[in-house]
Amino acid sequence: MGFFIAQFLTGLANASALFMVASGLSLIFGVTRIVNFAHGSFYMLGAYVGYTTMQMLPGMVGFWAAILLTGVIVGLIGVIVEICVLRPVYRAPELFQLVATFGVILVIQDLTLMTWGAEDLMGPRAPGLTGIIRIMGEPVPKYDLALVAITPFVALALWFLITKTRVGVLVRAATQDREMVGALGVNQSWLFTGVFFLGCAMAGLGGALQLPKGGADLLMDFTILTSIFVVVVIGGMGSLPGAYLAAVLVSVLGVFGVTYIPQSTLVLIFVIMVLVLMIRPYGLFGRPEVAGEHGQVGEPERPIKPAGPRARMIVAAGLAVLALMPVYGSSFAMVLTTDILIFCLFAASLHFMLGLGGMVSFGHAAFYGGGAYAAALLVTYAGTPMELALLLAPLGAGLLAVIIGWVCLRLTGVYFAMLTLAFSQLLWSLAFQWSDVTRGDDGLVNIWPSAWASSTMVFFYLTLVICVGGIVFLRHAAHSPFGYALRAARDSTRQAEATGIHTKRVQWAAFALAGAMAGLAGGLFVFSKGSVFPNELEIVRSFDALIVVFLGGVKTLSGGVVGGAALEGVKDVLTRFEYWRLALGVLIIVVVILAPDGLVGTARKLAEKWGLMRAPEDGK
Amino acid sequence: MSIVLETRGLSKSFGAIKAVQDVSFALQKGELLAMIGPNGAGKSTCFNMLMGQLKPSAGTVWLNGTNLSGHGPRQIWRMGVGRTFQITGTYASMTVAENVQMALISHNGRVFSILPYAHRLYRDQALDLLGLVGMADQADRHCAVLAYGDLKRLELAIALAHEPSLLLMDEPTAGMAPRERVALMKLTADIVRDRGVSVLFTEHDMDVVFAHAHRVMVLNRGQLIANGSVDEIRNDPRVQEVYLGGGTLFNPAEEGQHA
């Protein structure tokens, strides 16, 4: 019994930081309709800033003052981000906002690395709360008890602020109808900034409060991101009680899970999440999302036509140049091109569902990594030959996409994005935790191509044929009735349904096809590297593809492929610098704000302006 | 004449609010029937039940002798019902012709085919339909740049793609200029005459209704209060009361009952 209570209290204590970060995210979303993907970064900043302020302010009073001060500092950093990055994109489609906040993640990561260095920091212990208390014979840290006691007060204070004060009335009014609040003479932009300050301050507080328990490290941002997504999805976006309840649920389950089923803690939490979504799609306390709220950026998407003879000639010439690479290129160039080709197929598969279907997936790595692991596991445990493994990899990933898609497509918009991310994290944690099968962090190694394809040149040609074939297939599918139906479902679900198109089923099929193609890319990747590690399933991998599609141009057919080639090429140069994330992050933010049409879209516009390409008859 | 659409005792309640109460009517083949009534009379609720978006609380809907209960919008479309929306729904990223081709692709059950080029499928049929609504010259324009009146005509072409026996038009002329309104309803009347389609439409513009409808139904507070020819409706005292003041809203005794 004592053990049970002690476990429960630990769970409650863990819920503390989680609640604060999640409620901040929820608050920001409620008012600004932006899912702040950088919220985990503010939590991380809270931990680092808290570490520094605690060193400057000693003693018991100093400790708590340092935590409050940290909240204010992180909140102010949030204000800077809001003004510089988010204000220009409030009216943009959600994808732009998500990508912009991802740029912020990269920038904050490198700025933190610059300021505090790469080593993990041990958090100072809270003065006066260093010992333990025995409850029915079981030890419970005093600091945990303090957290358990504090959190409800923070929650109450927030609740009071939101429900009982004038500011709270404005915030709630803005949550329901921003334009009306603006029409009533409230300065919306400062209201948004204020809410962003509060939300980031909450994240900072959370980061500082957990210092004595967990310290500070550079991976904190992504680690907490998944948890807070799970929390807001379970609790319901924009609901404080929901955030608290879900934080407690997730943390307590986590603690008990570690004790009783250590191998599947994460799986357990995801199962709970899926169950909640089955019964209440918008979370325990959430309201249905109003769809179609986001505006347009740039010109509307144009009709598509299959490439004409001239474009086909150019592509054929480009392919010929690629195919002749063994003649003039080094073997390093061939390896690099192999990487780029695989990545292009991966990006093209995401582009298919995102660009044509409007389904913004933040977890596409689940299928890339899924295909890679499918192939690697087959080779390792069943001795499957490469040829068969390359066939089964897309099948496995496609099957996975059928299952994951079935759950995720119950929701749309930001919820869909968060769910896909959560699922890819689930797979990552499976690959990471289930080390009996996947060998965890050590990865699966010694997975080489069949003898005939083992030379760099032959494998290069194999990759070239498969990737180009895959990309051409996806491109053709875009022009087929199926691709048109996918666009129809995106453009006007109402009209599509009213003319007999089962839009969910079309999207589901597209999700599965995109997953299978990503799996094919993953399968090729395994054989090109000879190994696979859990990081092929990481958030970063999903974001890579997303950003590539975005940089290339969402509204253009070749955006994915062009972006993929450009970014993989640039990355090869960029990663030689120490702070490449900073540069990439800034680049992403600049593109989001200044060139929302992406590389292909911008190039097309310029070409039309200079008369190199014919402008559409009634384009502006 | 045969009956295309018939409702019997159609009702819908939202909690205590009776949005539609016991509405029964029949629509003949080749008839252009208007449903009018003030805001909140229950017209949209009625339409949504006919299209399968809302489930009636009571009553049935029959289409050519088949009970539509339990069918969703997609099946009802497949049974030969076309519809246009109050606010147009078109595929902005496609050309005008492709918008119609999409409906034809769906009608022919080829939504999931992945081999042919979509823009070549059923193009001639799509052009014929566009010709019918006077949009053939704009077939290859980008849908996103069309004028609103043209979008309405395009939507009509889409709704006609599967040769429906019944067309439901929810405020077909809302948001259009007066001259465009008359033109669109004249077009609709021509289609009714030439193709034998039956049309049920809701409308606020009485000029449009009285100029083109064969028959008019008046809905008020969820109940059907009149159903007859244009002249009958024009001279019906109850309808005049609803539309021309002395309306129930200003009747203190009536108001007291509802409060």
Side-chain angles (χ1 to χ4, degrees):
Chain A
M1 187 62 200
F3 176 72
F4 190 80
I5 291 174
Q7 292 275 49
F8 187 71
L9 287 172
T10 312
L12 277 184
N14 291 350
S16 178
L18 195 54
F19 162 70
M20 296 202 190
V21 188
S23 62
L25 181 86
S26 210
L27 203 63
I28 291 173
F29 175 80
V31 175
T32 64
R33 297 282 133 183
I34 283 187
V35 175
N36 181 20
F37 268 75
H39 215 64
S41 304
F42 290 105
Y43 167 75
M44 180 174 79
L45 272 180
Y48 276 97
V49 172
Y51 179 81
T52 305
T53 51
M54 280 172 196
Q55 283 180 331
M56 291 194 297
L57 302 170
M60 178 133 72
V61 179
F63 176 82
W64 296 105
I67 288 183
L68 287 180
L69 183 64
T70 301
V72 174
I73 293 174
V74 174
L76 288 176
I77 298 173
V79 168
I80 298 174
V81 168
E82 198 268 348
I83 290 177
C84 298
V85 180
L86 294 182
R87 278 197 183 179
V89 297
Y90 275 132
R91 297 245 153 241
E94 58 213 11
L95 171 66
F96 289 64
Q97 302 161 347
L98 300 176
V99 172
T101 51
F102 179 69
V104 174
I105 294 182
L106 294 178
V107 171
I108 290 181
Q109 247 176 13
D110 262 8
L111 290 180
T112 311
L113 175 66
M114 271 184 197
T115 317
W116 284 280
E119 291 209 4
D120 293 1
L121 302 179
M122 280 281 284
R125 303 228 269 163
L129 295 168
T130 48
I132 53 156
I133 288 178
R134 292 204 170 264
I135 293 176
M136 299 172 88
E138 291 290 330
V140 178
K142 282 184 189 166
Y143 189 69
D144 275 13
L145 291 177
L147 285 182
V148 172
I150 291 169
T151 316
F153 286 104
V154 177
L156 266 180
L158 259 187
W159 175 82
F160 184 82
L161 179 75
I162 299 291
T163 53
K164 300 290 175 196
T165 64
R166 184 181 143 75
V167 174
V169 170
L170 290 180
V171 167
R172 277 184 296 140
T175 311
Q176 296 203 337
D177 192 334
R178 283 181 289 176
E179 270 173 22
M180 194 62 214
V181 173
L184 293 174
V186 176
N187 187 334
Q188 264 197 79
S189 43
W190 285 109
L191 184 66
F192 280 26
T193 309
V195 166
F196 210 80
F197 170 83
L198 187 61
C200 292
M202 291 295 293
L205 281 180
L209 268 179
Q210 66 78 49
L211 262 179
K213 285 169 70 78
D217 62 73
L218 286 167
L219 294 174
M220 289 170 74
D221 48 354
F222 280 139
T223 320
I224 192 115
L225 195 61
T226 320
S227 307
I228 55 181
F229 281 171
V230 172
V231 165
V232 294
V233 166
I234 291 182
M237 219 33 169
S239 159
L240 280 178
Y244 187 70
L245 196 72
V248 168
L249 188 72
V250 166
S251 306
V252 170
L253 274 177
V255 171
F256 280 104
V258 167
T259 314
Y260 296 112
I261 33 167
Q263 296 293 308
S264 35
T265 12
L266 290 154
V267 180
L268 178 72
I269 286 166
F270 280 95
V271 168
I272 302 254
M273 185 179 76
V274 170
L275 281 180
V276 168
L277 285 173
M278 294 285 144
I279 301 157
R280 292 189 63 89
Y282 297 98
L284 294 174
F285 292 88
R287 287 177 302 137
E289 252 326 276
V290 184
E293 231 206 300
H294 288 284
Q296 266 285 337
V297 163
E299 58 175 320
E301 187 173 315
R302 296 182 188 172
I304 55 170
K305 279 269 141 53
R310 202 175 63 164
R312 280 180 193 202
M313 290 286 283
I314 296 172
V315 171
L319 283 178
V321 172
L322 266 185
L324 287 173
M325 181 163 279
V327 179
Y328 60 84
S330 62
S331 100
F332 170 74
M334 275 192 280
V335 171
L336 182 66
T337 314
T338 305
D339 286 355
I340 292 179
L341 281 168
I342 291 172
F343 191 64
C344 282
L345 178 60
F346 177 38
S349 72
L350 177 65
H351 183 269
F352 185 75
M353 61 182 274
L354 195 158
L356 300 176
M359 296 178 271
V360 182
S361 165
F362 271 58
H364 206 50
F367 311 116
Y368 180 72
Y373 265 96
L377 289 170
L378 281 168
V379 171
T380 310
Y381 292 104
T384 314
M386 178 190 79
E387 297 79 6
L388 188 61
L390 277 182
L391 200 68
L392 291 174
L395 274 181
L399 196 65
L400 202 61
V402 166
I403 297 165
I404 293 179
W406 183 75
V407 179
C408 294
L409 281 167
R410 299 172 74 89
L411 299 175
T412 53
V414 290
Y415 278 95
F416 176 83
M418 287 193 293
L419 265 187
T420 48
L421 188 142
F423 269 104
S424 76
Q425 280 299 93
L426 168 66
L427 285 187
W428 173 81
S429 48
L430 264 181
F432 197 78
Q433 280 194 331
W434 198 13
S435 49
D436 295 347
V437 175
T438 62
R439 308 221 176 114
D441 215 12
D442 298 333
L444 293 162
V445 292
N446 283 327
I447 300 142
W448 297 108
S450 305
W452 64 269
S454 58
S455 82
T456 307
M457 190 176 80
V458 176
F459 196 79
F460 166 77
Y461 278 121
L462 181 72
T463 313
L464 185 70
V465 169
I466 293 180
C467 289
V468 171
I471 291 167
V472 167
F473 172 71
L474 283 173
R475 213 183 148 89
H476 182 83
H479 292 108
S480 74
F482 176 59
Y484 269 58
L486 192 57
R487 284 199 294 147
R490 177 201 61 190
D491 284 356
S492 176
T493 312
R494 197 166 47 123
Q495 179 68 267
E497 285 280 329
T499 46
I501 299 170
H502 197 318
T503 52
K504 281 281 176 235
R505 203 175 282 167
V506 169
Q507 287 170 336
W508 195 18
F511 193 94
L513 177 61
M517 289 318 242
L520 182 60
L524 277 170
F525 171 83
V526 172
F527 287 105
S528 79
K529 298 290 174 220
S531 56
V532 62
F533 300 94
N535 59 355
E536 294 316 319
L537 287 158
E538 264 176 7
I539 299 184
V540 181
R541 191 68 67 240
S542 297
F543 279 127
D544 274 351
L546 198 64
I547 278 157
V548 154
V549 170
F550 186 82
L551 288 181
V554 183
K555 294 180 190 170
T556 56
L557 267 188
S558 37
V561 177
V562 173
L567 189 82
E568 272 299 284
V570 170
K571 242 185 164 177
D572 186 60
V573 180
L574 213 57
T575 43
R576 293 175 198 170
F577 299 102
E578 197 183 352
Y579 295 115
W580 64 274
R581 284 190 198 87
L582 180 63
L584 187 63
V586 171
L587 177 76
I588 289 168
I589 293 168
V590 167
V591 169
V592 168
I593 295 171
L594 296 182
D597 291 318
L599 282 177
V600 179
T602 308
R604 188 169 63 183
K605 261 190 188 163
L606 287 178
E608 281 164 7
K609 202 167 148 193
W610 297 332
L612 297 176
M613 255 171 85
R614 203 159 48 86
E617 44 93 30
D618 35 24
K620 277 174 286 182
Chain B
M1 283 216 289
S2 61
I3 290 173
V4 174
L5 178 75
E6 189 178 7
T7 70
R8 288 177 205 154
L10 200 60
S11 306
K12 180 74 194 177
S13 312
F14 299 101
I17 300 163
K18 290 173 179 165
V20 172
Q21 293 177 58
D22 198 22
V23 168
S24 304
F25 66 89
L27 175 64
Q28 308 289 335
K29 185 168 161 41
E31 193 176 28
L32 188 58
L33 174 62
M35 182 188 275
I36 63 170
N39 287 326
K43 303 187 296 291
S44 294
T45 309
C46 252
F47 255 65
N48 288 335
M49 284 191 284
L50 296 179
M51 277 313 295
Q53 264 130 354
L54 276 180
K55 211 170 131 41
S57 310
T60 48
V61 180
W62 299 80
L63 177 76
N64 296 319
T66 314
N67 191 344
L68 289 188
S69 311
H71 291 290
R74 286 192 303 268
Q75 287 119 321
I76 291 179
W77 179 80
R78 294 221 175 271
M79 293 161 115
V81 181
R83 85 167 290 178
T84 64
F85 295 93
Q86 190 175 344
I87 300 161
T88 54
T90 47
Y91 310 130
S93 71
M94 298 184 195
T95 67
V96 170
E98 284 166 356
N99 264 274
V100 184
Q101 282 167 278
M102 195 65 242
L104 289 163
I105 286 169
S106 172
H107 178 52
N108 287 286
R110 297 183 70 175
V111 163
F112 284 95
S113 78
I114 208 162
L115 292 178
Y117 280 125
H119 71 281
R120 288 185 193 152
L121 288 178
Y122 314 114
R123 185 171 158 88
D124 293 340
Q125 268 170 274
L127 290 179
D128 287 347
L129 284 160
L130 287 171
L132 199 66
V133 298
M135 290 279 293
D137 54 331
Q138 303 196 60
D140 291 316
R141 287 189 75 191
H142 183 183
C143 183
V145 300
L146 289 188
Y148 193 66
D150 290 341
L151 281 179
K152 286 272 186 186
R153 286 196 284 164
L154 169 58
E155 220 187 21
L156 186 55
I158 295 173
L160 290 169
H162 66 315
E163 294 180 13
S165 56
L166 170 66
L167 197 56
L168 299 174
M169 303 172 83
D170 196 1
E171 302 213 10
T173 69
M176 294 173 90
R179 189 172 299 168
E180 280 182 313
R181 292 178 175 217
V182 175
L184 185 79
M185 281 324 287
K186 177 156 187 332
L187 181 65
T188 310
D190 290 346
I191 290 168
V192 167
R193 192 189 60 226
D194 299 341
R195 311 197 118 205
V197 184
S198 314
V199 175
L200 174 66
F201 71 107
T202 65
E203 185 56 67
H204 275 294
D205 186 335
M206 289 307 129
D207 289 341
V208 169
V209 173
F210 291 142
H212 295 288
H214 300 160
R215 192 155 58 88
V216 182
M217 294 190 294
V218 186
L219 219 57
N220 189 35
R221 295 199 159 167
Q223 286 170 317
L224 200 58
I225 59 167
N227 183 351
S229 73
V230 170
D231 284 331
E232 282 165 18
I233 293 297
R234 230 196 273 260
N235 299 319
D236 189 316
R238 283 187 303 170
V239 177
Q240 284 175 357
E241 193 177 270
V242 167
Y243 271 93
L244 301 172
T248 47
L249 265 180
F250 303 104
N251 186 335
E254 171 99 336
E255 204 56 14
Q257 284 172 10
H258 285 269

